[in-house]
């Protein structure tokens, strides 16, 4: 082939004529070699293939086929469902005779005003506590189970009444909740933050509805304890400070009712209970007051800044006060300087009226300045900011002070 290529490259036609005969003989010789099978394969095209299917057949025979079915509707356990302040604990289980596998549950709650249901928990737990509900409101709850096949029908609808008032633990009417179980606690119906906390006893008022789908069952508080006169319970809320949301520099004592700080900078601590409806009043007594600091008292959102004075951001409404005077502050705006300060032993009162949407402060039972803030809407948590020079104790479950009624604010 190389020889032919070299000949073809020759520019002189006469040179090609000189070797043309030899080239033709060479081509014929090569053609004869191909035709006589010189390049035929040396191995046969036939081969043997043995396929061992025994292990596969054995595996197929060992398979266990079953028909997947939808789960049965869960059963709400009324003896473990309760309300406490503005929280509700719900517990459920699968029907005893159900053999269908369940992968998880979906808990739904309405908005407390008969609105649409929305999911507040999805997971494998069978107990959930929902915080941040409205006081003195009626909520409907239901739960359904799910697996790979789909979602079960809803359980019967449970109607819970959150507390208009919350009494101390020694007065609480309780439904027994096993302490060894850890209910799943959700911070609010619209929050994705979940954490485990010990279950708590609480006073419950609920009914189980089912017409074509609902039935009616009221829990009777009087039958649980006929000696307790429910009508005498005043509309007040009991709560303490919340270590889980406070700044790490805050120091707690006295069952989380007394707080101070180990820093010279202001640090924020919130109450455990959020308010969105009604009239609420609480006080803080000044246990220690050194070097004339400026503690701040008021209300805040859950996501308020915890490392600055209360009222520095737009998530808090506060009154900060020294030994001579006070100011109102929201979003770092200082207003209404008022004479009169605090000392050791003084009492600061906070009155949150969500009916009139106002926030008012007092010092030693006298109103401090005008109405501090108006147009208050949403969920507010009691809040304090202080440093290491101050120690305060929280007092809750208090009636509305006389100065508020005397000025006709409720009329």
């Amino acid at each position: 082939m190389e020889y032919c290529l070299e000949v073809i490259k020759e520019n002189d036609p006469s040179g090609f004529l000189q070797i043309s005969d030899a080239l033709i003989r060479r081509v014929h010789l090569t053609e004869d070699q191909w035709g006589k099978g010189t390049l035929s394969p040396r191995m046969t095209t036939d081969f043997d293939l043995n396929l061992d299917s025994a292990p596969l057949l054995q595996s197929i025979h060992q398979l266990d086929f079953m028909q997947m079915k939808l789960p049965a509707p869960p059963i709400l356990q009324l003896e473990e469902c309760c309300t406490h302040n503005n929280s509700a604990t719900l517990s459920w289980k699968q029907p005893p005779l159900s053999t269908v596998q369940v992968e998880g549950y979906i808990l739904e709650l309405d908005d407390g005003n008969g609105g649409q249901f929305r999911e507040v928990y999805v997971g494998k737990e069978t107990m959930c506590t929902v915080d941040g509900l409205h006081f003195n409101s009626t909520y409907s709850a239901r739960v359904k189970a799910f697996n790979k096949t789909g979602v079960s029908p809803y359980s019967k609808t449970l109607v819970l009444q959150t507390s208009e008032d919350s009494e101390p633990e020694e007065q609480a009417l309780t439904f027994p909740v096993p302490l060894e179980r850890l209910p799943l606690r959700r911070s609010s119906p619209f929050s994705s933050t979940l954490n485990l906390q010990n279950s708590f006893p609480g006073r419950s008022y609920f009914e189980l509805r089912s017409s074509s789908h609902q039935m009616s069952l009221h829990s009777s508080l009087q039958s649980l304890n006929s000696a307790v006169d429910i009508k005498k319970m005043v509309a007040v809320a009991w709560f303490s400070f919340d270590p889980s949301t406070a700044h790490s520099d805050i120091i707690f004592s006295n069952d989380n009712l007394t707080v101070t700080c180990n820093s010279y900078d202001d640090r924020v601590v919130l109450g455990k209970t959020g308010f969105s409806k009604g009239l609420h009043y609480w006080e803080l007594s000044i246990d220690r007051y050194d070097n004339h600091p400026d503690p701040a008292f008021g209300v805040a959102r859950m996501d308020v800044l915890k490392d600055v004075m209360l009222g520095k951001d737009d998530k808090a409404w506060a009154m900060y006060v020294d030994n001579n005077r006070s100011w109102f502050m929201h979003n770092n705006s200082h207003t209404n300087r008022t004479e009169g300060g605090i000392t050791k032993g003084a009492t600061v009162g906070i009155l949150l009226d969500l009916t009139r949407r106002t926030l008012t402060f007092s010092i030693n039972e006298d109103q401090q300045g005008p109405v501090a803030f108006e147009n208050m809407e949403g969920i507010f948590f009691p809040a304090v900011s202080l440093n290491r020079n101050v120690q305060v104790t929280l007092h809750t479950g208090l009636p509305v002070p006389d100065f508020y009624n005397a000025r006709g604010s409720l009329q």
Side-chain angles (χ1 to χ4, degrees):
M1 294 297 295
E2 291 178 359
Y3 174 76
C4 293
L5 291 174
E6 292 298 327
V7 170
I8 293 173
K9 291 179 183 179
E10 182 61 47
N11 294 327
D12 186 2
S14 61
F16 180 77
L17 292 174
Q18 292 176 2
I19 53 87
S20 61
D21 290 339
L23 183 59
I24 291 172
R25 288 195 299 272
R26 184 74 172 265
V27 171
H28 283 304
L29 178 61
T30 303
E31 183 180 4
D32 292 340
Q33 291 177 348
W34 278 87
K36 293 179 180 180
T38 306
L39 301 179
S40 60
R42 297 180 181 180
M43 297 183 63
T44 178
T45 56
D46 298 330
F47 62 94
D48 295 329
L49 173 63
N50 294 323
L51 179 62
D52 186 6
S53 60
L56 177 61
L57 292 175
Q58 183 180 2
S59 298
I60 292 176
H61 290 310
Q62 291 177 348
L63 291 176
D64 186 13
F65 294 95
M66 60 179 296
Q67 182 181 3
M68 292 293 294
K69 297 181 180 180
L70 291 176
I75 298 175
L76 286 162
Q77 302 189 86
L78 302 186
E79 68 277 5
E80 295 190 11
C81 297
C82 65
T83 60
H84 180 82
N85 278 354
N86 60 342
S87 299
T89 297
L90 296 135
S91 178
W92 58 89
K93 63 180 181 180
Q94 278 297 104
L97 300 180
S98 176
T99 59
V100 180
Q101 181 181 4
V102 174
E103 295 184 3
Y105 301 92
I106 301 173
L107 175 64
E108 296 183 358
L109 210 66
D110 70 357
D111 60 0
N113 291 314
Q116 293 184 346
F117 282 88
R118 62 189 70 189
E119 295 181 2
V120 297
Y121 170 69
V122 178
K124 297 182 179 180
E125 299 293 333
T126 58
M127 181 177 285
C128 180
T129 296
V130 184
D131 293 330
L133 304 178
H134 296 303
F135 274 93
N136 192 26
S137 298
T138 301
Y139 286 88
S140 296
R142 62 188 185 184
V143 63
K144 57 185 177 180
F146 64 88
N147 59 17
K148 288 184 173 63
T149 304
V151 181
S152 75
Y154 285 106
S155 67
K156 292 180 173 63
T157 300
L158 182 67
V159 179
L160 303 106
Q161 174 73 41
T162 54
S163 302
E164 179 180 357
D165 55 275
S166 300
E167 45 294 329
E169 291 186 3
E170 61 269 16
Q171 297 179 359
L173 304 177
T174 64
F175 285 92
V177 179
L179 294 179
E180 66 272 10
R181 298 186 63 180
L182 293 176
L184 196 62
R185 177 176 290 271
R186 188 166 191 128
S187 59
S188 77
F190 317 109
S191 170
S192 59
T193 303
L194 298 173
N195 62 304
L196 291 173
Q197 297 203 5
N198 289 330
S199 54
F200 51 81
R203 184 170 65 85
S204 294
Y205 172 70
F206 55 84
E207 61 177 312
L208 189 65
R209 289 184 179 174
S210 174
S211 48
S212 52
H213 298 283
Q214 301 177 351
M215 60 183 248
S216 180
L217 170 65
H218 288 272
S219 67
S220 174
L221 296 178
Q222 293 179 349
S223 65
L224 290 176
N225 192 342
S226 59
V228 178
D229 187 356
I230 302 297
K231 294 182 180 179
K232 291 183 180 179
M233 296 181 180
V234 294
V236 295
W238 301 80
F239 58 91
S240 60
F241 288 116
D242 188 0
S244 65
T245 60
H247 193 279
S248 58
D249 290 338
I250 296 293
I251 301 173
F252 294 84
S253 60
N254 188 25
D255 293 330
N256 298 332
L257 293 174
T258 300
V259 292
T260 184
C261 182
N262 60 16
S263 171
Y264 284 107
D265 297 320
D266 291 302
R267 300 292 186 246
V268 172
V269 57
L270 302 180
K272 280 190 174 181
T273 300
F275 300 109
S276 57
K277 294 172 61 177
L279 179 63
H280 307 280
Y281 177 73
W282 62 95
E283 293 180 346
L284 294 117
S285 58
I286 310 301
D287 303 331
R288 180 168 50 82
Y289 186 78
D290 303 327
N291 302 321
H292 310 304
D294 299 321
F297 310 89
V299 297
R301 307 292 191 194
M302 177 66 74
D303 55 348
V304 65
L305 294 177
K306 304 298 195 309
D307 56 355
V308 296
M309 177 185 287
L310 195 69
K312 286 285 188 179
D313 63 358
D314 62 349
K315 304 295 177 57
W317 295 256
M319 175 186 74
Y320 70 95
V321 56
D322 59 18
N323 61 319
N324 291 318
R325 61 193 67 84
S326 67
W327 294 262
F328 302 146
M329 184 164 63
H330 169 66
N331 201 16
N332 205 27
S333 175
H334 309 249
T335 60
N336 295 99
R337 169 177 166 171
T338 304
E339 296 300 319
I342 58 173
T343 59
K344 179 181 178 181
T347 299
V348 176
I350 299 94
L351 195 150
L352 179 63
D353 187 347
L354 291 172
T355 302
R356 293 185 172 272
R357 301 187 300 170
T358 59
L359 181 64
T360 308
F361 297 95
S362 66
I363 295 180
N364 296 329
E365 300 183 356
D366 292 325
Q367 183 169 335
Q368 184 74 357
V371 173
F373 301 101
E374 298 178 335
N375 301 318
M376 306 286 289
E377 290 185 351
I379 298 179
F380 301 94
F381 291 82
V384 177
S385 69
L386 43 69
N387 63 19
R388 66 184 305 163
N389 291 314
V390 183
Q391 177 175 298
V392 300
T393 295
L394 176 65
H395 305 276
T396 62
L398 304 177
V400 176
D402 292 337
F403 75 81
Y404 199 63
N405 290 321
R407 297 192 179 191
S409 300
L410 299 179
Q411 300 176 359

